């Protein structure tokens, strides 16, 4: 009896704590001000190769913004985002206004303290899928909530070609093992034929 009362009291406390906990701030892309100027080194339509090519990304507070506008910016998060052409018929890449549900910008380039202006060189990661991308930077407040952003225009998007996973060494190994298997088959066929004739 005492155990059930204790369990019930604990359940009530947990439920009350869950109901009274402050809700996490929700950021909507349509409500965020565009205060950051973002540039990326690839030219529109340029083809980059995963694991090989490097993107230089720069960001700064837009010159038209008043001084101190970025006072609440504590961090900046830069991501690669799927361009609209790479989102067609792919629900797992779709843009959503609620940034917690947004699937456009899945690949983090960097997250660092907000220095006002910044620059990063990013080698395209090997796990980046083949698609067309642009770059977006979010300014984050102390709680990690997006409070502003900037991006390269989707019209100036660039292409990334991912690795196929089939390297030259794998092709050579497959050729050697294939030749070995054919040679083994021929050798054992010859041995069996010879035993049969004796």
């Amino acid at each position: 009896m005492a155990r059930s009362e204790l369990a019930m009291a604990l359940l009530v406390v947990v439920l009350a704590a869950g109901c009274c906990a402050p809700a996490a701030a929700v950021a909507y892309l349509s409500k965020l001000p565009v205060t950051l100027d973002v540039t990326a080194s690839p030219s529109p339509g340029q083809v980059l190769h995963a694991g090989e090519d490097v993107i230089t990304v720069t960001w700064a507070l837009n010159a038209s913004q008043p001084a101190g506008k970025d006072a609440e910016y504590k961090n900046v998060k830069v991501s690669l985002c799927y361009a609209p052409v790479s989102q067609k018929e792919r629900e797992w890449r779709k843009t959503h206004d609620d940034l917690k549900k947004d699937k456009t910008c899945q690949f983090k380039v960097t997250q660092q303290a907000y220095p006002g202006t910044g620059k990063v060189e990013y080698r395209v990661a090997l796990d980046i899928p083949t698609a067309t991308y642009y770059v977006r930077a979010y300014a984050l407040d102390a709680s990690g909530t997006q409070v502003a952003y900037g991006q390269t225009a989707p019209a100036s998007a660039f292409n990334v070609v991912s690795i196929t996973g089939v390297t030259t060494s794998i092709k050579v190994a497959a050729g050697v093992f294939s030749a070995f298997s054919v040679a083994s088959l021929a050798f054992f066929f010859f041995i069996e034929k010879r035993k049969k004739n004796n």
Side-chain angles (χ1 to χ4, degrees):
M1 184 71 170
R3 279 189 175 173
S4 65
E5 289 176 2
L6 180 62
M8 186 59 113
L10 184 59
L11 179 63
V12 169
V13 169
V14 168
L15 289 175
C19 292
C20 298
V26 178
Y28 294 95
L29 186 63
S30 62
K31 297 191 186 322
L32 293 181
V34 181
T35 61
L36 299 177
D37 286 332
V38 179
T39 61
S41 59
S43 56
Q46 182 177 349
V47 177
L48 304 175
H49 295 88
E52 297 175 13
D53 293 317
V54 174
I55 301 171
T56 302
V57 180
T58 59
W59 64 89
L61 184 66
N62 186 303
S64 66
Q65 299 297 319
K69 173 72 175 176
D70 59 352
E72 68 177 322
Y73 302 172
K74 302 302 179 199
N75 290 299
V76 65
K77 179 182 177 185
V78 180
S79 302
L80 287 181
C81 305
Y82 290 111
V85 69
S86 290
Q87 294 179 21
K88 289 180 183 169
E89 299 179 15
R90 292 178 176 97
E91 291 298 320
W92 60 92
R93 297 179 177 179
K94 288 291 184 186
T95 300
H96 198 283
D97 195 38
D98 181 350
L99 293 178
K100 290 198 181 294
K101 297 178 183 176
D102 184 44
K103 299 174 185 173
T104 306
C105 302
Q106 299 180 19
F107 305 101
K108 185 167 85 171
V109 171
T110 187
Q111 182 169 339
Q112 58 189 34
Y114 177 76
T117 61
K119 177 180 177 180
V120 67
E121 290 193 354
Y122 169 74
R123 181 173 304 280
V124 180
L126 292 172
D127 62 346
I128 302 293
T130 298
T132 304
Y133 295 92
Y134 63 96
V135 177
R136 182 180 292 164
Y138 289 108
L140 310 175
D141 65 10
S143 70
T145 303
Q146 299 94 335
V147 292
Y149 79 103
Q151 65 187 24
T152 61
S156 64
F158 52 90
N159 300 303
V160 172
V161 177
S162 64
I163 61 168
T164 63
V166 181
T167 62
T168 304
S169 59
I170 290 176
K171 289 179 185 177
V172 169
V176 168
F177 285 122
S178 295
F180 178 74
S181 65
V182 170
S184 297
L185 180 65
F187 175 75
F188 286 112
F189 180 75
F190 175 74
I191 295 294
E192 284 295 318
K193 193 124 174 123
R194 197 167 157 197
K195 280 184 182 179
K196 201 175 199 182
N197 289 338
N198 287 339

